[in-house]
Amino acid sequence: MANPLNERRVISVIVLNESSVLARVTSLFAGRGYNIESLTVAPIPNSSMSHITIATNGSPKVMEQITKQLHKLIPVYKVIEHEEMVEKEMVLVKFPIAENLSDIAALCGAYNGGIVNVGKEMVIAQVADEPLRVQHFIEAAQRYNPCEIVRGGVVAIER
Amino acid sequence: MQMSGAQMVCEAIIAEGVKTVFGYPGGAIMHVYDEIYKQNGFKHILNRHEQASVHAADGYARATGEVGVAMVTSGPGFTNAVTGLATAYMDSIPLVVISGQVPMSLIGTDGFQEIDAVGISRPCTKHNFLVRSLEELPRILKEAFYLARSGRPGPILVDIPKDITVDIGEFVYPDSVNIATYKPTYKGNQKQIEKAVEAIKTAKKPLLYIGGGVVLSNASEEVRALAEKTQIPVVETLMARGVMGAKNPLLLGMLGMHGNYASNMAMSETDLVISLGARFDDRVTGKLSEFAKYADIIHVDIDAANIGKLVDVDYPIVGDVTEVLEVMIPLLDGVNTDRYQAWREILKRYDALHPQSYVDSDEVIKPQWAIERIGELVGENAIITSDVGQHQMWAAQHYPFDRPRQWINSGGLGTMGFGFPAALGAKMAFPEKTVINITGDGSILMNMQELVTAAEYKIPVINLILNNQFLGMVRQWQTFFYEKRYSETDLTFQPNWKALAEACGGIGYDVTTKKEFDEAIKDAIAQDRVCFMNVMVNRFEDVLPMVPSGGALFNMMLPPKIENKETK
Ligand SMILES: Cc1ncc(C[n+]2csc(CCOP(=O)(O)OP(=O)(O)O)c2C)c(N)n1
Ligand SMILES: [Mg+2]
């Protein structure tokens, strides 16, 4: 929906580490018509909880509903609507080995990354940066004929 | 104590004090049924369809305020129960539904009668569980009952693989529950309550807007006390009928799509809405931008997600209505009730201008007359359930409900077929009360197999069929909005109702006159058998007033005779 009020937001959802919890969260988004731009999930070390990071968008009213509805799910412990955060996303890109590798390495370097694997026909580069900068990196990488791009989805932590 | 998973299920039900369980057996749940056979801590009613089992448990829960329990097998048993879960979910009714599942080793293999029950029921339960080991079964059963009745109540599904019901293990039923992620808020914020009280004291045209949450919270006494103390007029939603009692002079009536004139005008002109356990459903608000346009809003709800969902709220109070009112009422000591006198006068005039009314007839029974007549004949002593359609709205408009939990209907989901099984549940809970299902010739057929259940167990509920030979509510919309193209709503092809009831072990009455009506109802009340009372009513009667869908509350279509009286 191209609503001018729609704002991109990142939400952290701390949940009990049980089998169906991710399904509960995603089906809530699907069922109530909320968008998911990206979603990452991993267990929180030394605890029985997991951390889900969701990048989404919606009007302030929708965002309020998203947070409240998430909070209503029984295994949800905490919902954090990030305001002041450090936000990072990772991307892996596969380039043909015939491309100019030093240019690629320099490009990755400019975005906090580098070449992490070299094979017979391909090299794999990795970049971890803010989502917008990851986007820029992907655009810049186009001229080196990337054959596969895998984005990781954002993780965020409140400052 | 060592016992099987199946025994644990029975022990938990007994420990929770449940007296009646409604259900239907099948392969995956057979071990549990084997234990049901051996125990005598609760009674089991075999409905003739799983949907009816869940509605019956639901009716039991609505009538008593306790958790209702239904039991079904895997696959089709579970899918038949889904409408029941969704019905209870939409009206926040505390249920525990136990479903059998294929053995753990078969899950995910498309085994016989395997279906992803937790997946299907996720959006229509408050929470659900797939039990994965015998060790967690006692805890899950305990949590299921706790979750069902605490906070904003709702249905909980416990899906149990067959092998877990066979396994033997140690049973200790926990006596408390501690879910780190689930802490409902019961106590309202003191500061917010104080601010709300100030708003009430300074308002000129305040209005109490009462929803089903008041029934769920058993807050009727407190609401009546608040109204009495402040002399603020009251409107009830469909789900709140009975909270104030029909005779209460402060009650304006029901608001919304089929609300009465005074109630809808009150909501349109009020300067302070005091919403208690109501959720601003679209059938209540009509066009949102015109709804309570001149009002500040106090919203008391146990579910924070309800607050600010549809309308902007000035005084949000998250908490249990009863607890919030216990704090609020004493703060209103010395409130100047005269402040609202002019407002009450205005509303009285609105009500005199267009009272809830209909044109009676001597030729044909009017459905509204039939409802008023039962009100006169059984009144307070009856529990009224209903199905969905015109008859439901007439019942809500015209029956003199006197107390909460006297009126049981599917408001949120609007499930045709709810009324009869719900009546069975209510009657099981209150055998001494007359239980009447006010139904339609369409709806009753959607769970008519329950005639057999009711006859077998001698559950004498009265099904009052207001027979207009139409899917009347849809017909009404076709009349108003589809130029009378009656697409697939004509029900002139009918069963022989009397014979149908008799074939299943019940009693049938065919009624066409008021005299026959009185005779039949008196006879039916005295009988100890279920009945169909087929009452032929005016075919083309409309439910009025009506706010066309999406219109503003103050734009009502009014009953014709009354409209003629209008001077403007
Ligand atoms: C299960 C289900 N299917 C369809 C509907 C849509 N619907 C709402 S009212 C109605 C007509 C009900 O007819 P009847 O029971 O005869 O009641 P009446 O309106 O005639 O009083 C229908 C089909 C519904 N609410 N529930
Ligand atoms: Mg009908």
Side-chain angles (χ1 to χ4, degrees), chain A residues 47-65:
Chain A
S47 88
S48 56
M49 305 270 175
S50 278
H51 190 132
I52 302 176
T53 314
I54 303 171
T56 177
N57 57 65
S59 64
K61 211 172 169 122
V62 168
M63 292 310 305
E64 185 187 328
Q65 268 299 303

Side-chain angles (χ1 to χ4, degrees), chain B residues 388-391 394 413-416 439-444 446 466 468 470-474 491:
Chain B
V388 175
Q390 292 184 309
H391 59 274
W394 285 316
L413 197 69
T415 309
M416 289 171 68
T439 181
D441 48 324
S443 296
I444 189 63
M446 286 204 178
L466 295 177
N468 50 14
F470 265 124
L471 295 173
M473 187 54 95
V474 184
L491 296 183

Side-chain angles (χ1 to χ4, degrees), chain B residues 229-479:
Chain B
K229 184 168 191 173
T230 57
Q231 293 293 305
I232 294 174
V234 184
V235 292
E236 289 175 344
T237 68
L238 173 68
M239 300 312 289
R241 298 304 268 156
V243 165
M244 288 298 287
K247 292 186 217 80
N248 195 310
L250 287 164
L251 178 67
L252 296 171
M254 178 172 78
L255 85 164
M257 182 174 274
H258 294 297
N260 63 328
Y261 185 76
S263 296
N264 286 347
M265 291 310 289
M267 189 50 94
S268 304
E269 295 184 2
T270 172
D271 65 357
L272 181 69
V273 176
I274 307 157
S275 169
L276 304 175
R279 59 180 177 85
F280 299 83
D281 184 272
D282 54 276
R283 285 293 190 265
V284 162
T285 61
K287 191 176 184 182
L288 264 181
S289 57
E290 296 293 332
F291 176 78
K293 208 175 176 176
Y294 308 106
D296 279 350
I297 294 181
I298 299 171
H299 190 173
V300 181
D301 203 304
I302 198 155
D303 180 359
N306 270 348
I307 298 182
K309 179 173 67 179
L310 291 153
V311 299
D312 292 331
V313 172
D314 305 273
Y315 306 92
I317 301 173
V318 181
D320 174 53
V321 184
T322 308
E323 294 204 16
V324 170
L325 292 189
E326 277 169 0
V327 176
M328 187 182 274
I329 292 170
L331 293 176
L332 282 158
D333 279 351
V335 63
N336 177 11
T337 58
D338 290 343
R339 256 191 98 73
Y340 322 129
Q341 181 58 27
W343 171 230
R344 288 190 296 265
E345 293 295 330
I346 294 172
L347 297 176
K348 212 173 273 167
R349 282 203 295 277
Y350 278 149
D351 198 45
L353 188 62
H354 298 297
Q356 182 74 60
S357 67
Y358 65 96
V359 186
D360 201 8
S361 160
D362 290 330
E363 270 92 67
V364 55
I365 293 181
K366 285 296 186 87
Q368 302 94 325
W369 176 86
I371 286 160
E372 285 180 356
R373 189 69 189 138
I374 328 166
E376 287 162 13
L377 294 173
V378 288
E380 303 175 17
N381 190 38
I383 294 176
I384 305 294
T385 70
S386 105
D387 271 301
V388 175
Q390 292 184 309
H391 59 274
Q392 174 194 26
M393 291 300 125
W394 285 316
Q397 290 176 332
H398 294 276
Y399 196 89
F401 296 108
D402 187 69
R403 59 191 153 85
R405 303 193 182 279
Q406 187 186 10
W407 164 237
I408 293 175
N409 83 128
S410 165
L413 197 69
T415 309
M416 289 171 68
F418 172 79
F420 187 8
L424 298 182
K427 183 76 182 177
M428 286 305 293
F430 293 103
E432 75 288 358
K433 290 224 158 19
T434 299
V435 178
I436 303 178
N437 172 33
I438 295 178
T439 181
D441 48 324
S443 296
I444 189 63
L445 292 181
M446 286 204 178
N447 264 318
M448 68 170 196
Q449 79 286 342
E450 292 310 302
L451 271 171
V452 182
T453 315
E456 179 187 352
Y457 294 96
K458 301 199 169 47
I459 315 175
V461 302
I462 298 169
N463 289 287
L464 184 85
I465 305 169
L466 295 177
N467 189 345
N468 50 14
Q469 301 176 63
F470 265 124
L471 295 173
M473 187 54 95
V474 184
R475 192 281 305 153
Q476 175 171 341
W477 284 50
Q478 289 169 335
T479 302

Side-chain angles (χ1 to χ4, degrees), chain A residues 26-81:
Chain A
T26 52
S27 73
L28 182 121
F29 274 74
R32 290 186 182 261
Y34 309 143
N35 297 324
I36 297 183
E37 182 189 293
S38 84
L39 183 149
T40 60
V41 54
I44 298 173
N46 307 319
S47 88
S48 56
M49 305 270 175
S50 278
H51 190 132
I52 302 176
T53 314
I54 303 171
T56 177
N57 57 65
S59 64
K61 211 172 169 122
V62 168
M63 292 310 305
E64 185 187 328
Q65 268 299 303
I66 292 179
T67 356
K68 284 177 168 175
Q69 293 294 346
L70 280 169
H71 206 84
K72 253 173 88 171
L73 296 176
I74 307 298
V76 168
Y77 181 61
K78 208 155 106 181
V79 184
I80 308 156
E81 225 186 309

